Amino acid sequence: MKVEVPPEGSRYAKVILIGEAPAKEEVLTGRPFQGSAGRYLNRFLRLAGLRRNELYITNVSKNRAPKDTMSLIPFQELEMWRKRLIDELNGLFEPKILVPLGRYALESVTDKKGISNFRGSILTPRECIRHKCIVVPTLHPSVVHYNYSVWPLIVADLARVRKLAESDVPYEPPTFNFIIRPTFQQVIDTLEMLKKANFPMVVIDVETPHDRLSAIGLAWSRRDAISIPFYYGTGRDYWTLEQEAEIWKKLAEVLPQLNLANQNVFFDWRILYEHNIRLKTPTWDPMLMHHCLYPELPHRLDVITSIYTDIPFYKKDEKGEKGSTLRAGMERDHWIYNCYDVVAAFWSIENLRKELAEEGLIRVYIDLYAEMIEPLLEMNLRGVPVDVEQLKEARKVLKKLIEDYTQEIYEQTGCKLNVNSPKQVSELLFGTLNMQPYKGEKTGKKALKKLAYKYQSDIPTMIIDIRAARKELSLFSEENVVDGRVRCDYSLARTSSGRLASRKAFSRGGMNLQNVKRGEQRKFFVAEKGHILVGGDQKQAEARVVGWYARDRKFLDLFAKGKSIHLENAKNIFGEYVEKDDPRYVISKSLIHGSNYGLSAFTFARIANIPLADAKRHLELYHSTYPGIRKVFHAYVEQEIKRCRTLVNPFGRRHIFFGRIGLELFKEAYAFLPQSTVSDVNKKALKRLYKHYIVLLELHDGLILSVPKGEVHFAIEALREAYDIPFQIWGETHTIPIEVSVGQNWAEMEEVE
Ligand code: URA
């Protein structure tokens, strides 16, 4: 006989938690949520300020599910449990909030599907539930078994439940005043009103389905918004030509006067710039504000909306169609969506501002985010010039190389090879050519090199070369290099360390600049006409920051000497200076790069290509030579993570680490302080320079400027001054020195004194 686990708690409870089904420990104890999911649940309830003994806790199924898997409960049986659950809920005394945990509970008490979308939303229950209550779903606590970092979202949802439960006034869903399908006069009047009203903030959002601007949304409060449409789902224009021209004229007049804000301002500002409208530099962007508060959490508007507003999830309709798409006959949905986007961003900004203020982070936000918007917008729009002639030549050479080598392989083997198909490469090498594969990755670059050597065959080498050539061709394809420039999107919110990330821009090419390798590929990047590149690089910056945190004299001495720190370190570790081509030089270098961030002996052995025993010995020697790295720096980081999961860098940038506490998390945390400090120095230098110089590239620890040939001296001075940014670690003031270099292209920059 199957044992049923009954619900727990008072019939008079205000908050009702609904789980899925009991598991082993629940059956043993006869109480819901006793096992590992229960332990997580208890922790989340405590963090959210809810008392378990004041709640009513039940499950959809009162029996254990086959293999503890809800999807294995037969449909009829699940329906039976759902009916029983509704009766059970209807028998309770005026519950205020139902909290379904996970998808099965959500689908039992509402008509919504998709727990990750609807978590945190305030919903109405199914009609068969006879209470005047609300539903606030959240994720099932057991998701943290496989996706640990979502726990803050569960806590945020439960905190919302607590607030709603404590409130004396009944919950009223928000109401909105959306102007959709406007007449020409409504558009003109609304824009005129916005111009005159002098609102402290207006949120703007452009929709661009099919790569064409379909609508512009504007919100001037949490409830008031307009969506100005431009065409229908069929592609037919919404306005006559004259009307549209008038509207654009009015937009160009009014928008630049408003204090605009939005989610991911970089996108909207660029799109409007491409329509010849230059907007005022914004200050508030929920994505950036949320990143400043919680760099590790997702910063999509739907997630932010679920935490900071009462607007239920609206990004997809019942059928799973995205509101951002514009479909014939369904235009209304698109325009309403556009209005929701702007009011959601408006509302989120108001609450994020409060939270930034409460957390003492407003100044940090302005300094490291808001004031970075203008220089990055400029860089995104301007792009980096590329030597088009040289690129054309290089493309020809690469194409020829691919053709020749492919033909050569064909002549030697009779095989028309696609080098990017591991299957075809394997068949050729290990079938036709009878080579013996190495363990592990069989057709990767390393394996191919070994095979070329072992079998004295040039086929693996040709495969490597063809692959490299194809990669380079696609990186510098005509799609990525437009009008002789590579334009990418720099983003401030894509890394949790606060480092900038660049990527291929939506619909206008570009590339991730971090993918551009040292050497050959960089030679295509050049200065503006008549200019030269002048670069500033923070010297061994991260290692220095580690040294300051570690307060390790001997380690800091490495920087004081004239020689490179890797040579000095080799001397400390091996007792003598080594040449750069000595294998011990690589060991010395990887020791500094890796050990500071908690590199394991195993990984170190792999990187330095040495036996594990040697790796262990070197690591121990390294740490006994510079004891401060472990004893002061690592110990400090670990202590702070265990105490409050939080680190704050010298510029006030905060990182709360939500991961499972352990070695992997510590490693991430060791890296945060040096990486973010160096990146923030770079940001401050960029802010000082961009009004006077053309900044072409941001490279985490350096900048590259395009400078008129006659002004190189001034630029060098300006770079040195810009990087003179003092900050404190353990009460001592430091600055990171820079190395300056000059060159015709990014690959050939020569250091200057
Ligand atoms: N998971 C649930 O959904 N309910 C329980 O009671 C225990 C684990």
Side-chain angles (χ1 to χ4, degrees):
M1 230 260 307
K2 279 191 180 168
V3 185
E4 288 195 12
V5 174
E8 178 174 278
S10 158
R11 279 186 60 233
Y12 293 88
K14 282 189 200 158
V15 177
I16 315 298
L17 295 195
I18 307 159
E20 296 186 333
K24 190 172 164 198
E25 286 184 57
E26 286 75 19
V27 171
L28 282 175
T29 54
R31 296 177 59 198
F33 282 105
Q34 294 300 304
S36 64
R39 284 190 287 277
Y40 278 125
L41 178 66
N42 293 346
R43 211 189 301 165
F44 302 152
L45 289 173
R46 220 177 308 121
L47 285 168
L50 283 165
R51 276 189 244 270
R52 180 169 167 144
N53 60 8
E54 291 178 1
L55 314 175
Y56 178 91
I57 305 179
T58 188
N59 280 306
V60 175
S61 162
K62 306 296 186 277
N63 280 156
R64 207 170 159 182
K67 296 189 183 156
D68 287 329
T69 306
M70 288 300 281
S71 59
L72 296 181
I73 300 181
F75 178 77
Q76 298 289 344
E77 192 183 326
L78 187 61
E79 281 303 293
M80 180 276 291
W81 286 123
R82 285 190 159 143
K83 273 209 192 85
R84 269 185 60 177
L85 176 70
I86 301 298
D87 291 342
E88 177 190 340
L89 295 174
N90 282 335
L92 299 177
F93 183 78
E94 291 183 7
K96 208 168 167 187
I97 311 169
L98 307 183
V99 185
L101 304 170
R103 128 173 195 221
Y104 287 92
L106 171 71
E107 288 172 18
S108 303
V109 296
T110 70
D111 53 7
K112 304 289 184 205
K113 279 193 160 62
I115 187 68
S116 13
N117 290 339
F118 282 101
R119 56 137 285 280
S121 289
I122 304 176
L123 307 171
T124 45
R126 284 170 63 186
E127 266 180 18
C128 54
I129 294 177
R130 287 195 298 264
H131 299 292
K132 240 181 124 286
C133 62
I134 52 173
V135 179
V136 182
T138 190
L139 306 175
H140 192 282
S142 64
V143 294
V144 293
H145 286 129
Y146 51 90
N147 186 2
Y148 192 81
S149 55
V150 295
W151 70 263
L153 298 179
I154 303 182
V155 173
D157 298 340
L158 294 174
R160 153 164 289 179
V161 169
R162 192 205 71 222
K163 266 198 212 144
L164 288 163
E166 283 171 357
S167 164
D168 295 331
V169 278
Y171 174 74
E172 282 298 329
T175 53
F176 302 101
N177 236 334
F178 291 165
I179 307 176
I180 53 163
R181 249 184 231 290
T183 61
F184 173 73
Q185 204 49 47
Q186 266 178 310
V187 172
I188 299 295
D189 290 350
T190 308
L191 290 172
E192 192 58 27
M193 178 279 290
L194 289 175
K195 188 174 92 174
K196 298 225 171 93
N198 205 11
F199 289 112
M201 175 171 81
V202 176
V203 167
I204 186 165
D205 186 44
V206 299
E207 301 296 342
T208 53
H210 325 294
D211 254 7
R212 245 183 91 196
L213 195 158
S214 66
I216 297 181
L218 293 162
W220 48 99
S221 81
R222 288 181 181 193
R223 2 180 6 237
D224 298 292
I226 184 171
S227 173
I228 306 172
F230 291 96
Y231 60 92
Y232 293 94
T234 53
R236 185 164 62 85
D237 287 333
Y238 188 94
W239 310 107
T240 65
L241 271 182
E242 296 74 28
Q243 285 175 329
E244 186 163 338
E246 271 307 303
I247 288 175
W248 276 109
K249 210 168 119 203
K250 196 74 188 161
L251 285 167
E253 174 201 334
V254 175
L255 294 183
Q257 299 184 36
L258 305 180
N259 297 314
L260 292 171
N262 190 25
Q263 167 84 358
N264 191 12
V265 289
F266 292 105
F267 179 74
D268 303 70
W269 264 241
R270 167 166 75 76
I271 299 290
L272 285 161
Y273 178 86
E274 287 165 3
H275 285 78
N276 292 323
I277 299 182
R278 208 171 173 132
L279 304 175
K280 256 197 242 175
T281 305
T283 301
W284 305 111
D285 179 332
M287 181 170 87
L288 302 182
M289 298 164 90
H290 194 242
H291 186 274
C292 180
L293 283 158
Y294 307 106
E296 245 178 47
L297 294 185
H299 312 297
R300 295 189 316 271
L301 187 59
D302 59 334
V303 175
I304 295 175
T305 303
S306 76
I307 304 172
Y308 292 94
T309 79
D310 291 353
I311 303 174
F313 179 77
Y314 62 87
K315 291 271 180 188
K316 283 185 190 160
D317 70 11
E318 250 59 309
K319 293 195 200 99
E321 293 284 353
K322 284 188 185 162
S324 55
T325 48
L326 174 61
R327 285 162 299 149
M330 309 290 278
E331 289 84 355
R332 205 170 162 271
D333 290 356
H334 181 67
W335 299 328
I336 291 181
Y337 169 88
N338 187 212
C339 287
Y340 270 126
D341 257 359
V342 276
V343 290
F346 194 101
W347 192 334
S348 301
I349 290 173
E350 286 188 331
N351 284 335
L352 283 160
R353 254 178 103 161
K354 267 192 220 146
E355 191 161 326
L356 281 169
E358 281 161 14
E359 304 284 317
L361 284 169
I362 289 276
R363 195 191 52 79
V364 173
Y365 175 75
I366 299 293
D367 184 24
L368 301 177
Y369 292 85
E371 290 178 359
M372 286 296 292
I373 294 174
E374 186 167 271
L376 293 182
L377 259 174
E378 272 189 17
M379 290 170 72
N380 286 351
L381 292 174
R382 185 190 306 112
V384 189
V386 164
D387 184 336
V388 182
E389 287 312 310
Q390 205 185 351
L391 192 57
K392 257 192 219 153
E393 284 309 305
R395 275 201 196 118
K396 269 192 221 149
V397 172
L398 291 170
K399 279 186 188 150
K400 176 109 186 21
L401 178 147
I402 294 172
E403 268 167 33
D404 289 355
Y405 283 8
T406 310
Q407 181 63 21
E408 175 81 36
I409 292 174
Y410 177 66
E411 278 166 20
Q412 283 192 33
T413 66
C415 167
K416 276 208 172 346
L417 183 68
N418 168 8
V419 292
N420 286 345
S421 153
K423 189 165 167 257
Q424 287 190 22
V425 174
S426 290
E427 275 168 12
L428 174 71
L429 298 178
F430 313 127
T432 317
L433 297 176
N434 225 355
M435 296 179 175
Q436 278 305 311
Y438 284 95
K439 265 202 219 142
E441 223 214 322
K442 296 186 172 65
T443 56
K445 190 170 169 184
K446 255 197 196 151
L448 290 176
K449 273 190 177 170
K450 284 194 207 162
L451 291 170
Y453 181 74
K454 183 171 169 191
Y455 293 96
Q456 288 297 299
S457 159
D458 52 5
I459 290 189
T461 323
M462 285 195 277
I463 296 175
I464 296 176
D465 291 346
I466 299 176
R467 279 189 192 155
R470 283 172 58 146
K471 209 164 165 196
E472 190 155 339
L473 270 179
S474 78
L475 195 61
F476 291 96
S477 65
E478 269 148 37
E479 183 203 337
N480 289 349
V481 182
V482 181
D483 307 329
R485 283 170 183 271
V486 166
R487 292 185 185 80
C488 50
D489 268 350
Y490 278 106
S491 161
L492 280 165
R494 230 175 302 122
T495 68
S496 54
S497 65
R499 282 171 154 204
L500 295 189
S502 65
R503 70 169 170 199
K504 202 173 152 117
F506 169 72
S507 81
R508 60 201 257 281
M511 62 186 71
N512 175 348
L513 288 167
Q514 279 102 43
N515 276 356
V516 181
K517 296 218 180 74
R518 263 177 209 291
E520 281 304 284
Q521 296 184 344
R522 293 193 176 180
K523 70 176 185 294
F524 302 120
F525 292 86
V526 293
E528 302 288 347
K529 268 215 172 66
H531 284 208
I532 192 159
L533 297 179
V534 180
D537 239 337
Q538 302 180 56
K539 259 198 228 171
Q540 292 121 7
E542 287 184 22
R544 266 174 222 271
V545 176
V546 169
W548 292 321
Y549 271 106
R551 287 169 146 159
D552 190 301
R553 265 293 124 223
K554 197 156 183 190
F555 188 74
L556 288 168
D557 278 349
L558 296 177
F559 302 95
K561 310 233 174 88
K563 290 201 187 227
S564 98
I565 58 166
H566 306 304
L567 291 179
E568 293 295 338
N569 178 44
K571 176 150 184 294
N572 286 346
I573 301 283
F574 304 116
E576 58 176 338
Y577 285 118
V578 297
E579 295 298 323
K580 277 201 172 169
D581 53 7
D582 190 311
R584 287 176 298 177
Y585 180 80
V586 179
I587 295 178
S588 163
K589 214 168 152 174
S590 350
L591 272 171
I592 293 191
H593 286 317
S595 320
N596 295 349
Y597 301 155
L599 180 81
S600 72
F602 189 76
T603 319
F604 174 44
R606 198 165 41 78
I607 295 172
N609 208 6
I610 53 175
L612 185 62
D614 289 357
K616 279 190 182 150
R617 200 163 38 80
H618 289 315
L619 267 179
E620 283 318 310
L621 190 56
Y622 182 83
H623 284 297
S624 60
T625 310
Y626 313 115
I629 289 175
R630 267 190 187 154
K631 292 210 176 107
V632 183
F633 173 52
H634 288 184
Y636 164 70
V637 169
E638 285 167 32
Q639 174 202 313
E640 288 303 285
I641 295 295
K642 285 184 195 149
R643 189 175 69 82
C644 57
R645 289 182 169 270
T646 305
L647 292 173
V648 178
N649 87 356
F651 298 104
R653 176 188 289 281
R654 178 181 93 172
H655 189 154
I656 305 181
F657 293 83
F658 291 119
R660 225 182 268 279
I661 293 190
L663 202 61
E664 282 312 306
L665 184 71
F666 291 145
K667 282 195 206 167
E668 211 189 303
Y670 304 145
F672 166 71
L673 287 173
Q675 285 184 347
S676 69
T677 304
V678 171
S679 168
D680 290 343
V681 166
N682 228 41
K683 294 190 187 82
K684 285 170 165 280
L686 172 58
K687 286 201 299 181
R688 288 181 178 176
L689 286 162
Y690 82 99
K691 289 223 165 100
H692 315 286
Y693 288 92
I694 295 178
V695 184
L696 289 184
L697 291 156
E698 199 280 356
L699 306 161
H700 300 321
D701 58 357
L703 294 169
I704 296 188
L705 315 179
S706 173
V707 178
K709 287 205 171 111
E711 292 179 23
V712 171
H713 272 73
F714 302 114
I716 293 175
E717 263 324 289
L719 269 169
R720 290 203 208 282
E721 266 176 40
Y723 274 100
D724 185 11
I725 291 163
F727 55 89
Q728 293 208 330
I729 293 176
W730 302 130
E732 279 180 32
T733 303
H734 306 284
T735 50
I736 301 175
I738 60 163
E739 212 166 74
V740 180
S741 51
V742 176
Q744 294 297 337
N745 63 57
W746 185 17
E748 292 158 331
M749 308 273 293
E750 301 243 327
E751 195 180 334
V752 292
E753 283 304 306

